[in-house]
Amino acid sequence: MKSFLKFTLASLLGVLLASFLMFLIFAGIIGSLSSEKPVVVEPGTILVASFNQPITDRNPESPLSAFSGFDFSGEMGLGLDMIIENIAKARDDENIKGILLDLSNMNAGIATVGEIRNALVAFKDSGKFIIAHADAFTQGSYYLASVADSLYITPEGELFFIGLSAEAIFVKRMLDKLGIEAQVLRQGEYKSAAEMFVNEKLSDANRAQIQAYLGSIWNEMVATISGSRGIPADELNRLADGMLISSAQSAFEAKLVDGLRYQDELLSELKSLTGTEESKDLKSISLAKYDKVPKKRAEKGLAKNKIAVVYASGNIILGEGAEGVIGSEDFSKAIRKARRDSTVKAIVLRVNSGGGSALASEIIWREVKLASEVKPVIASMGDVAASGGYYILTHADKIFATPNTITGSIGVIGLLPNMKKFMNDKIGITSDVVKTNQHSDLGSIFRPLADEEETAIQNETGRVYDTFITHVAEGRGMTKEEVDKLGRGHVYSAVDAKAIGLVDELGGLKEAIDAAVEVAGLSSYRIVKYPELEDPFQKIINEMTGQAHLRKLKNALGEQYPYIDILIEMERMEGIQARMPYQLIVR
């Protein structure tokens, strides 16, 4: 009894001490944030754009996001909206002399990179300089760097300029070894989201579509780099085919970079450009810190009219969403709120999603359609807006996409695992069932589908597919037959999608907002963003529970995490799905 009491009291004391420690930590965070001084930019300052954090569509505006994951690194996450807004602000800021692109560790999709690049092109119109530097370039970061007036690499750095590849992952052999059968029903020969469970390699149809959109994206990158660097596209492809560019020296000799620079040499050049004495420190400011610099005071009438930008990023699911997940309930609520707000004159729907639940997509589609009946709705596609991600924007008045966006994938699948052999033979679990009717245990993982059950589910996927193409036909002014020919799960680059009528204009979020302003006939406006961000303190709780461990797992596994994510996503699937292939790694 004495030992029990001793153990209990010790445990209680430990909990109390831990709680008190957490309280002190949070109090310190809040105190430091509340005492933060306004940021002032001195004349001759360089804006340093370092993209060493994952870039999301929307900036994590909570001040506590700097302490994400409780590692207290102080590194802010980066939102594409924040990056573009601050590049535009720097263009008109007389105290900003130029931009340094620090691209040694860039983590972003090609379409996202393209939108940042376009913002930098506009920045150059101010006459200010852009210098890019990296210890080692990826092809994506080099694509961005090519916009710079001067482009440098560390002398012993690397740039492998070899073209793009897309690597699809297949787990059929693993499932076979485990005794698990993936029972797949789909609509469309190109609908490849479940191929990874039933094939060991790409189907011919899937290989053809990947080759097409990958080629389209690469051609756009090559054309852009060619225009900026003055190197013919044929020459760039020759360099890539021959794998002639790998070292910093080979990149310099081929004129892909302007010079080889160590950090100290780069700093000396920047000091010269800004008129800073060599003995003094360079005046610089990071993007995250520059975001805190007050913007120019708006006109008095600016607040009356609003453009609502509604962000849809991640997997589409039924119910409530979360960070990086589009929940049908809260996302529909956000659309509905923007529709009912008389001060919101137009809605921009920003979609960065490969899809998910078909039913959840239908629920969101309905709210978008209702909104489009009372005010302009303009869609903006991010890195990917396909399958369910395309479903929800079919009734937008106009659809924008960057040339490197992946879209289409109009099709649906159903997936039911048969784990009988795994349960029975591998881990020794058996089951027995009592039912009132012949098919009452439909969906049980302990048996395969009966023929009539497979037929019923296949009919259901056909019905959902018919609804999908009906929505597209109505929204895009096509016939169902025309949409079916373009659909069947076929994935396109935005360039090809525009040519066949699935996309209206090539452009990013800025161009979509400009179009919304124009169609709404506004001379002054302000932007409001939906859905509302999570309460900072609720975010802390989530970090302590469900989300922190997933982030830490991603960080620990690095490039290997996608293989684990396959199994996580498979477990989350519920009902008929409208989604892109689970994992397609483009390098």
PDB file of all heavy atoms in Angstrom, residues 477-489:
ATOM      1  N   GLY A 477     -19.863  24.261 -70.233  1.00  0.00           N
ATOM      2  CA  GLY A 477     -20.583  24.469 -71.486  1.00  0.00           C
ATOM      3  C   GLY A 477     -20.288  23.415 -72.528  1.00  0.00           C
ATOM      4  O   GLY A 477     -20.168  23.717 -73.722  1.00  0.00           O
ATOM      5  N   MET A 478     -20.180  22.162 -72.078  1.00  0.00           N
ATOM      6  CA  MET A 478     -19.912  21.043 -72.979  1.00  0.00           C
ATOM      7  C   MET A 478     -21.047  20.029 -72.897  1.00  0.00           C
ATOM      8  O   MET A 478     -21.938  20.134 -72.045  1.00  0.00           O
ATOM      9  CB  MET A 478     -18.601  20.344 -72.596  1.00  0.00           C
ATOM     10  CG  MET A 478     -17.360  21.192 -72.621  1.00  0.00           C
ATOM     11  SD  MET A 478     -15.911  20.220 -72.078  1.00  0.00           S
ATOM     12  CE  MET A 478     -14.599  21.424 -72.235  1.00  0.00           C
ATOM     13  N   THR A 479     -21.006  19.045 -73.766  1.00  0.00           N
ATOM     14  CA  THR A 479     -21.915  17.914 -73.642  1.00  0.00           C
ATOM     15  C   THR A 479     -21.269  16.855 -72.748  1.00  0.00           C
ATOM     16  O   THR A 479     -20.041  16.841 -72.580  1.00  0.00           O
ATOM     17  CB  THR A 479     -22.227  17.289 -75.011  1.00  0.00           C
ATOM     18  OG1 THR A 479     -21.017  16.711 -75.548  1.00  0.00           O
ATOM     19  CG2 THR A 479     -22.768  18.329 -75.983  1.00  0.00           C
ATOM     20  N   LYS A 480     -22.100  15.979 -72.196  1.00  0.00           N
ATOM     21  CA  LYS A 480     -21.556  14.902 -71.359  1.00  0.00           C
ATOM     22  C   LYS A 480     -20.639  13.998 -72.166  1.00  0.00           C
ATOM     23  O   LYS A 480     -19.628  13.501 -71.644  1.00  0.00           O
ATOM     24  CB  LYS A 480     -22.692  14.092 -70.742  1.00  0.00           C
ATOM     25  CG  LYS A 480     -23.386  14.792 -69.592  1.00  0.00           C
ATOM     26  CD  LYS A 480     -24.603  14.019 -69.104  1.00  0.00           C
ATOM     27  CE  LYS A 480     -24.236  12.656 -68.586  1.00  0.00           C
ATOM     28  NZ  LYS A 480     -25.404  11.940 -68.033  1.00  0.00           N
ATOM     29  N   GLU A 481     -20.971  13.810 -73.435  1.00  0.00           N
ATOM     30  CA  GLU A 481     -20.153  12.952 -74.291  1.00  0.00           C
ATOM     31  C   GLU A 481     -18.758  13.564 -74.500  1.00  0.00           C
ATOM     32  O   GLU A 481     -17.746  12.854 -74.491  1.00  0.00           O
ATOM     33  CB  GLU A 481     -20.838  12.738 -75.645  1.00  0.00           C
ATOM     34  CG  GLU A 481     -22.110  11.899 -75.592  1.00  0.00           C
ATOM     35  CD  GLU A 481     -23.285  12.623 -74.959  1.00  0.00           C
ATOM     36  OE1 GLU A 481     -23.278  13.879 -74.967  1.00  0.00           O
ATOM     37  OE2 GLU A 481     -24.205  11.945 -74.447  1.00  0.00           O
ATOM     38  N   GLU A 482     -18.738  14.883 -74.654  1.00  0.00           N
ATOM     39  CA  GLU A 482     -17.442  15.566 -74.818  1.00  0.00           C
ATOM     40  C   GLU A 482     -16.596  15.449 -73.556  1.00  0.00           C
ATOM     41  O   GLU A 482     -15.387  15.196 -73.623  1.00  0.00           O
ATOM     42  CB  GLU A 482     -17.677  17.045 -75.160  1.00  0.00           C
ATOM     43  CG  GLU A 482     -18.217  17.277 -76.558  1.00  0.00           C
ATOM     44  CD  GLU A 482     -18.603  18.724 -76.795  1.00  0.00           C
ATOM     45  OE1 GLU A 482     -18.975  19.415 -75.813  1.00  0.00           O
ATOM     46  OE2 GLU A 482     -18.547  19.174 -77.953  1.00  0.00           O
ATOM     47  N   VAL A 483     -17.243  15.620 -72.395  1.00  0.00           N
ATOM     48  CA  VAL A 483     -16.520  15.526 -71.137  1.00  0.00           C
ATOM     49  C   VAL A 483     -16.022  14.107 -70.909  1.00  0.00           C
ATOM     50  O   VAL A 483     -14.895  13.898 -70.445  1.00  0.00           O
ATOM     51  CB  VAL A 483     -17.405  15.980 -69.951  1.00  0.00           C
ATOM     52  CG1 VAL A 483     -16.664  15.784 -68.624  1.00  0.00           C
ATOM     53  CG2 VAL A 483     -17.803  17.441 -70.119  1.00  0.00           C
ATOM     54  N   ASP A 484     -16.840  13.131 -71.262  1.00  0.00           N
ATOM     55  CA  ASP A 484     -16.443  11.729 -71.071  1.00  0.00           C
ATOM     56  C   ASP A 484     -15.183  11.400 -71.872  1.00  0.00           C
ATOM     57  O   ASP A 484     -14.295  10.684 -71.394  1.00  0.00           O
ATOM     58  CB  ASP A 484     -17.590  10.807 -71.482  1.00  0.00           C
ATOM     59  CG  ASP A 484     -17.245   9.332 -71.286  1.00  0.00           C
ATOM     60  OD1 ASP A 484     -16.748   8.981 -70.203  1.00  0.00           O
ATOM     61  OD2 ASP A 484     -17.473   8.542 -72.221  1.00  0.00           O
ATOM     62  N   LYS A 485     -15.083  11.952 -73.077  1.00  0.00           N
ATOM     63  CA  LYS A 485     -13.893  11.710 -73.893  1.00  0.00           C
ATOM     64  C   LYS A 485     -12.647  12.334 -73.257  1.00  0.00           C
ATOM     65  O   LYS A 485     -11.542  11.796 -73.372  1.00  0.00           O
ATOM     66  CB  LYS A 485     -14.098  12.281 -75.300  1.00  0.00           C
ATOM     67  CG  LYS A 485     -15.100  11.496 -76.142  1.00  0.00           C
ATOM     68  CD  LYS A 485     -15.257  12.109 -77.528  1.00  0.00           C
ATOM     69  CE  LYS A 485     -16.267  11.334 -78.359  1.00  0.00           C
ATOM     70  NZ  LYS A 485     -16.453  11.942 -79.704  1.00  0.00           N
ATOM     71  N   LEU A 486     -12.846  13.485 -72.586  1.00  0.00           N
ATOM     72  CA  LEU A 486     -11.725  14.159 -71.926  1.00  0.00           C
ATOM     73  C   LEU A 486     -11.454  13.581 -70.545  1.00  0.00           C
ATOM     74  O   LEU A 486     -10.377  13.781 -69.985  1.00  0.00           O
ATOM     75  CB  LEU A 486     -12.020  15.660 -71.780  1.00  0.00           C
ATOM     76  CG  LEU A 486     -12.324  16.436 -73.065  1.00  0.00           C
ATOM     77  CD1 LEU A 486     -12.668  17.878 -72.730  1.00  0.00           C
ATOM     78  CD2 LEU A 486     -11.142  16.380 -74.012  1.00  0.00           C
ATOM     79  N   GLY A 487     -12.453  12.903 -70.006  1.00  0.00           N
ATOM     80  CA  GLY A 487     -12.370  12.384 -68.654  1.00  0.00           C
ATOM     81  C   GLY A 487     -11.744  11.007 -68.594  1.00  0.00           C
ATOM     82  O   GLY A 487     -10.611  10.794 -69.012  1.00  0.00           O
ATOM     83  N   ARG A 488     -12.520  10.056 -68.032  1.00  0.00           N
ATOM     84  CA  ARG A 488     -12.040   8.680 -67.865  1.00  0.00           C
ATOM     85  C   ARG A 488     -10.749   8.610 -67.050  1.00  0.00           C
ATOM     86  O   ARG A 488      -9.915   7.733 -67.244  1.00  0.00           O
ATOM     87  CB  ARG A 488     -11.836   8.025 -69.241  1.00  0.00           C
ATOM     88  CG  ARG A 488     -13.092   8.002 -70.100  1.00  0.00           C
ATOM     89  CD  ARG A 488     -12.848   7.446 -71.490  1.00  0.00           C
ATOM     90  NE  ARG A 488     -14.025   7.555 -72.330  1.00  0.00           N
ATOM     91  CZ  ARG A 488     -14.074   7.225 -73.616  1.00  0.00           C
ATOM     92  NH1 ARG A 488     -12.992   6.757 -74.204  1.00  0.00           N
ATOM     93  NH2 ARG A 488     -15.188   7.348 -74.302  1.00  0.00           N
ATOM     94  N   GLY A 489     -10.592   9.608 -66.169  1.00  0.00           N
ATOM     95  CA  GLY A 489      -9.424   9.621 -65.302  1.00  0.00           C
ATOM     96  C   GLY A 489      -8.189  10.252 -65.904  1.00  0.00           C
ATOM     97  O   GLY A 489      -7.122  10.252 -65.289  1.00  0.00           O
TER      98      GLY A 489
END
